[in-house]
Amino acid sequence: MRAVAFTGDSNSGKTTLIEKLSLWLKSHAPNKRIAIIKHDPKDKAIIDTPHKDSARFFESGADVVILGATQTTLRFHRSLELEALKKQFQDYDYLFVEGLKELPFPRICVARNVFNERFLPYIQAVAIDSSIAKESLQSYPLEILDLNNPAEIIQWIHHNIKDI
């Protein structure tokens, strides 16, 4: 399994990028299994609300885990016993994590309009759109990825992330 985490400011496009990656994989590698863990530190997630993160992730074909401060919600496309969760992830091809910067996974920062330097200790790459000039990031030891090109980001994942 290749695990990668995504971090970035609120409303930077983390959910949209993860959804695009999941959909891209489902159309280009339909036999690959994808799981998504979303951090919900304030327990605000409402499961199955149309157009919200957890529903969008599940509709993309991925299995979803919402990790909150006081609860964890699991949503799989098949039944799963809780004690099998750890073993379950070992069989996935991809695990995408939104947030949870304390987890030691390779990490891509999603940035729009401004790059927040507070993420530097945690990231190996930054995904940007045209709202940020590439030249403004040249002094950082990061790979710069096109936020709107899921194929490029999947290629980066394949070249930079070892199976765990």
Side-chain angles (χ1 to χ4, degrees), residues 62-83:
D63 293 328
V64 180
V65 176
I66 310 295
L67 292 177
T70 61
Q71 63 183 343
T72 299
T73 303
L74 309 169
R75 186 158 186 224
F76 288 86
H77 284 272
R78 59 189 178 86
S79 70
L80 176 71
E81 295 178 17
L82 187 56
E83 60 268 12

Side-chain angles (χ1 to χ4, degrees), residues 103-115:
L103 293 180
F105 289 129
R107 188 170 298 274
I108 297 171
C109 180
V110 178
R112 283 199 176 132
N113 299 315
V114 66
F115 172 68

Side-chain angles (χ1 to χ4, degrees), residues 28-105:
H28 291 84
N31 294 328
K32 300 294 184 185
R33 296 183 67 206
I34 304 158
I36 298 170
I37 298 176
K38 177 180 174 39
H39 190 208
D40 179 29
K42 297 179 183 173
D43 287 325
K44 295 188 322 182
I46 301 171
I47 308 305
D48 294 338
T49 301
H51 311 294
K52 297 304 264 175
D53 297 5
S54 63
R56 289 170 55 192
F57 288 153
F58 192 73
E59 289 166 4
S60 77
D63 293 328
V64 180
V65 176
I66 310 295
L67 292 177
T70 61
Q71 63 183 343
T72 299
T73 303
L74 309 169
R75 186 158 186 224
F76 288 86
H77 284 272
R78 59 189 178 86
S79 70
L80 176 71
E81 295 178 17
L82 187 56
E83 60 268 12
L85 181 61
K86 195 170 190 176
K87 289 182 182 179
Q88 180 67 32
F89 281 132
Q90 292 175 356
D91 296 333
Y92 281 74
D93 298 291
Y94 297 91
L95 173 62
F96 298 141
V97 178
E98 183 178 331
L100 293 162
K101 65 179 175 268
E102 63 277 0
L103 293 180
F105 289 129

